[in-house]
Amino acid sequence: ARIAAALLGLLLLACLTSLTAPAPPAAGTGTESPADDQRDIILYETIVDAIRHGGSYYPTAAEALRVGNYPLRPFITMRMPGLAMAQAHLSPAAVLALLYALVLAVALAWYARFRDALTDWPARAVAMALLAGGLMAFVQADLWAFHELWAGLLIALSLALRREGHWIEAVATGLLAALIRETAALYLVIMAVAAWRDHQRREAFGWSAAIAILAIALVAHAFAVARVVGPLDPASPGWSGMLGIGFFINAISVSTALSLAPVWLAAILAGLSLFGWTAWRDPLAMRALLVIAAYAALLALFARPDTFYWVLLIAPIFLVGLAFAPDGLRDLAARALDRRRVRVQRVGMDPER
């Protein structure tokens, strides 16, 4: 317990490096045309609008990337077409209705899990409030075109739907997330490994099949991109930011209700939320923690300041760990401060017996 307490202290110190780590760039204020505004959200809205007016996805996306001075190589710099095509064939009101329906589905699915794990309603209310704090960015209507927004909600829904012996819905939802944003492939891999570790062989094969389907889709996407990209189109500067855990904390802070707290307090709360996931004795909690830790490492090692939005893939569920942190801290303190000793007394045998 004392070793665990020391590790928690190191985690909180690591989170406090956010005070000196780079912060995600501030959002632009908007300009006269998409060509003058480099924000990704404007790019995706432009692509969807062009498709609504008869454009084909890949030529349209390539031209929008060139106009915005975005890189076109490698092929993953261009999003897969599924989300944009679906949005282009729906009215703006229908797109927003679908987004809010997905947010509601996430809330209901996680409430069902909290109902099983938390016996009293005040604890469930706190957990739902924390879930709402993680969903803060996901109900902003002007972010409807953002791919990470949809993929993050689908990952959160997939995690909540997964139960022992009931995994098909979770696999299908996770695959849909990865087909919207290929960085969700990391989620598929983690879930496949976790299922194999838990000796859930059929589930592991299900997640592996999802990975295979995604790989086929990415190959087809790569060929389609190659047809519209020329040798003079700019290439990505790469993904080797090495910005550290502090950058991840800053990214999750600006993407959730932690943005309402001072930076130092947000860092401590983020660390305690990570700790709280370890205190929930449930297979769901361990898988959620593995997913959060993997994306935290991804942002700490590979993200650039302008790709902080990768954190949206785990933002919906991140703060939920705080609901379990108080009990975890209490149990950890009780064990760490327990100084009772077990004494073993040797009783001699009676030689006359």
Side-chain angles (χ1 to χ4, degrees):
R2 290 169 191 156
I3 293 174
L7 292 175
L8 174 59
L10 290 176
L11 172 64
L12 295 178
L13 288 175
C15 291
L16 285 171
T17 61
S18 63
L19 298 175
T20 58
T29 58
T31 49
E32 295 181 358
S33 69
D36 298 325
D37 195 330
Q38 301 299 303
R39 290 180 301 169
D40 290 348
I41 189 63
I42 299 297
L43 170 71
Y44 304 139
E45 289 176 350
T46 300
I47 293 172
V48 170
D49 187 62
I51 296 173
R52 280 178 176 155
H53 289 83
S56 180
Y57 176 76
Y58 284 99
T60 294
E63 183 59 26
L65 288 167
R66 291 189 188 101
V67 169
N69 197 30
Y70 283 89
L72 281 84
R73 295 179 290 129
F75 71 93
I76 56 175
T77 58
M78 186 183 296
R79 301 288 183 264
M80 285 191 287
L83 180 64
M85 295 296 294
Q87 291 173 332
H89 288 84
L90 295 173
S91 67
V95 171
L96 286 180
L98 186 60
L99 176 63
Y100 294 147
L102 184 54
V103 171
L104 179 61
V106 169
L108 292 175
W110 276 93
Y111 179 78
R113 302 308 297 264
F114 296 149
R115 186 178 54 202
D116 296 338
L118 301 170
T119 56
D120 55 331
W121 70 264
R124 290 196 294 269
V126 169
M128 288 301 295
L130 291 168
L131 180 69
L135 291 169
M136 191 172 65
F138 295 80
V139 294
Q140 297 184 28
D142 57 341
L143 299 181
W144 59 268
F146 219 60
H147 292 71
E148 280 77 6
L149 206 73
W150 296 84
L153 289 171
L154 289 167
I155 288 176
L157 181 59
S158 174
L159 270 171
L161 290 176
R162 189 269 165 195
R163 296 175 184 267
E164 186 173 352
H166 298 82
W167 48 266
I168 295 177
E169 300 88 346
V171 171
T173 307
L175 175 59
L176 184 57
L179 291 173
I180 289 176
R181 187 63 171 104
E182 68 281 354
T183 45
L186 180 58
Y187 169 71
L188 301 181
V189 172
I190 292 169
M191 294 296 280
V193 172
W196 189 267
R197 182 204 60 188
D198 295 340
H199 305 290
Q200 303 290 329
R201 298 293 185 256
R202 294 182 63 185
E203 181 186 351
F205 287 134
W207 291 107
S208 300
I211 295 170
I213 294 172
L214 175 63
I216 294 171
L218 284 173
V219 169
H221 177 61
F223 277 106
V225 172
R227 297 178 60 183
V228 297
V229 173
L232 299 181
D233 286 320
S236 169
W239 297 274
S240 57
M242 299 295 291
L243 298 176
I245 188 67
F247 175 72
F248 163 72
I249 298 300
N250 286 334
I252 196 69
S253 296
V254 301
S255 304
T256 64
L258 291 178
S259 60
L260 303 176
V263 176
W264 64 269
L265 180 57
I268 293 175
L269 291 175
L272 290 176
S273 184
L274 290 170
F275 167 75
W277 281 108
T278 69
W280 185 5
R281 301 304 182 194
D282 189 283
L284 169 64
M286 181 52 64
R287 293 199 183 201
L289 179 61
L290 289 173
V291 171
I292 292 172
Y295 280 100
L298 184 71
L299 271 93
L301 296 175
F302 301 110
R304 303 188 306 267
D306 60 341
T307 58
F308 75 96
Y309 48 77
W310 293 354
V311 81
L312 292 175
L313 295 174
I314 57 170
I317 64 169
F318 182 82
L319 294 180
V320 170
L322 282 172
F324 302 92
D327 287 344
L329 289 172
R330 183 195 60 209
D331 293 344
L332 183 61
R335 287 169 173 78
L337 298 175
D338 187 359
R339 298 186 177 276
R340 291 177 296 175
R341 295 291 182 267
V342 176
R343 294 185 179 183
V344 178
Q345 183 177 0
R346 180 176 296 177
V347 179
M349 295 295 293
D350 187 349
E352 296 182 357
R353 294 182 61 185

